[in-house]
């Protein structure tokens, strides 16, 4: 099957949704994307594994990256896609329609359509976003071909309800192990209960007051929470060890070392192991190019509370925002969907920014 990029966005979204592309199985869809875009003379094509890159080279003074991932979480009896007419309008229902093939459909449509624009554009369609960071296609592209990511601004088309969400919060997970001493539970005084020893850690978390931090006019609400607890051997043994895992979501005013300093402050006296650290991303909304984007889209920016790949752009010194169709709270749900009208809203917003004379 070939993708018809001249068709309407709803039809295009259904076409790419019906190509199953669970992480690790993106090859078929990546091939179709490459084939569909390679016929357009204004695009220079590159590929790294199952990451497809299409670039214009008009010699404009600014370049922007518009990126989206091709993979989805596993299918849950929600393919093929279907249309659902609701009181709120037409919905495209199916795995990946929200996260994030709705955004990919907009990318594909505009990449083919915009044969001229006020800025050079790098369109990136990458693999392995929904799995471990070590497999991430955008990360791999940055390592293998960093010149393809060079830009003045980036838009990641993650679902945002067709609103701008600036930057993203960082996330850190730590593991604290409490040592005890095993004994028969009938003689508990001979042992030391490690699970009971978790109480001090939990009390510190309960007492923790999450900060609200203003960054470039956006207010990010931080959070520090226990997310996993494990311990115990059997119902008649005093547990000799217990483990608690804590997740800290921190605002973009903090670097990873600042986040670790805060965790050391809260858990003073404890040793902990860092099991995950992903830096936050400043939105860059104070930059002229970002302000132009906001004005063109006509959306009041909001903070992104979750972590997204905008942080990869931020690490490269490229300000970045999230902007795409569909409600992010529907991502990964069995009944995820993308509203048809938001496909058009996002396409028109990008047209106004990139090629105002071509706005539909």
């Amino acid at each position: 099957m070939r993708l018809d990029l001249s068709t309407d966005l709803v039809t295009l979204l259904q076409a790419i949704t019906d190509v199953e592309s669970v992480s690790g199985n993106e090859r078929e869809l990546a091939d179709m994307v490459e084939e569909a875009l390679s016929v357009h003379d204004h695009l220079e094509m590159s590929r790294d594994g199952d990451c497809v890159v299409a670039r214009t080279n008009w010699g404009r003074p600014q370049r922007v990256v518009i990126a989206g991932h091709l993979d989805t979480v596993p299918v849950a009896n929600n393919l093929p896609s279907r249309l659902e007419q609701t009181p709120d309008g037409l919905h495209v229902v199916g795995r990946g329609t929200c996260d994030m093939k709705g955004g990919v459909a907009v990318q594909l449509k505009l990449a083919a359509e915009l044969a001229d624009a006020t800025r050079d554009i790098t369109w990136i369609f990458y693999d392995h976003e929904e799995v471990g960071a070590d497999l991430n296609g955008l990360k791999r592209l940055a390592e293998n071909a960093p010149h393809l990511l060079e830009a003045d601004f980036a838009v990641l088309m993650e679902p945002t309800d067709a609103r701008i969400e600036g930057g993203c919060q960082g996330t850190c997970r730590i593991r604290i192990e409490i040592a005890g001493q095993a004994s028969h539970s009938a003689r508990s005084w001979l042992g030391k209960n490690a699970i009971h020893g978790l109480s001090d850690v939990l009390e510190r978390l309960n007492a923790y007051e999450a900060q609200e931090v203003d960054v470039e006019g956006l207010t990010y609400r931080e959070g520090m929470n226990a997310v996993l607890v494990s311990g115990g051997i059997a119902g008649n043994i005093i547990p000799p060890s217990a483990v608690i895992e804590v997740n800290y979501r921190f605002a973009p005013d903090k670097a990873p070392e600042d986040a670790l300093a805060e965790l050391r402050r809260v858990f003073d006296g404890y040793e902990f192991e860092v099991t995950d650290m992903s830096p936050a991303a400043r939105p860059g909304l104070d930059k002229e190019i970002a302000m132009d984007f906001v004005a063109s889209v006509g959306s009041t920016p909001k903070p992104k509370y979750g972590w997204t790949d905008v942080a990869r752009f931020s690490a490269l010194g490229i300000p970045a925002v999230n902007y795409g169709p569909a409600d992010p709270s529907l991502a990964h749900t069995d009944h995820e969907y993308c509203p048809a009208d938001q496909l058009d809203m996002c396409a028109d917003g990008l047209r106004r920014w990139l090629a105002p004379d071509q706005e539909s």
Side-chain angles (χ1 to χ4, degrees), residues 151-221:
D152 300 284
F153 189 68
V155 178
L156 185 65
M157 299 206 68
E158 287 280 1
T160 63
D161 245 352
R163 300 175 178 137
I164 297 170
E165 292 184 345
C168 71
Q169 289 186 293
T171 179
C172 177
R173 279 189 289 274
I174 63 170
R175 181 179 184 272
I176 300 174
E177 183 170 0
I178 304 298
Q181 182 177 325
S183 72
H184 196 295
S185 60
R187 300 174 180 83
S188 60
W189 61 89
L190 298 178
K192 182 181 179 183
N193 195 310
I195 290 178
H196 292 182
L198 294 175
S199 61
D200 178 58
V201 174
L202 292 171
E203 285 173 5
R204 296 188 192 200
L205 286 169
N206 279 326
Y208 185 76
E209 295 185 3
Q211 296 185 59
E212 292 188 359
V213 182
D214 183 85
V215 180
E216 296 170 19
L218 302 182
T219 301
Y220 295 84
R221 181 176 173 81

Side-chain angles (χ1 to χ4, degrees), residues 309-332:
D309 276 323
V310 296
R312 300 191 188 281
F313 292 107
S314 182
L316 295 171
I318 304 168
V321 297
N322 305 275
Y323 175 66
D327 181 349
S329 68
L330 297 171
H332 302 183

Side-chain angles (χ1 to χ4, degrees), residues 77-89:
N77 296 316
N78 46 7
L79 284 183
S81 63
R82 60 186 174 84
L83 299 179
E84 186 177 273
Q85 188 65 52
T86 76
D88 296 327

Side-chain angles (χ1 to χ4, degrees), residues 215-237:
V215 180
E216 296 170 19
L218 302 182
T219 301
Y220 295 84
R221 181 176 173 81
E222 298 188 329
M224 189 181 294
N225 293 279
V227 291
L228 286 172
V229 174
S230 60
I233 297 173
N236 59 354
I237 300 176

Side-chain angles (χ1 to χ4, degrees), residues 17-68:
T17 298
D18 291 344
V19 181
E20 184 265 291
S21 58
V22 173
S23 303
N25 195 34
E26 300 95 332
R27 179 63 51 84
E28 181 181 1
L29 183 55
D31 288 346
M32 293 170 66
V33 167
E34 183 178 29
E35 179 185 40
L37 293 178
S38 62
V39 301
H40 295 278
D41 293 338
H42 65 280
L43 296 173
E44 176 186 282
M45 304 299 299
S46 302
R47 183 153 173 172
D48 183 271
D50 290 329
C51 176
V52 180
V53 181
R55 287 163 44 97
T56 68
N57 288 292
W58 298 311
R60 304 292 188 260
Q62 291 179 321
R63 176 175 292 278
V64 299
V65 166
I66 302 179

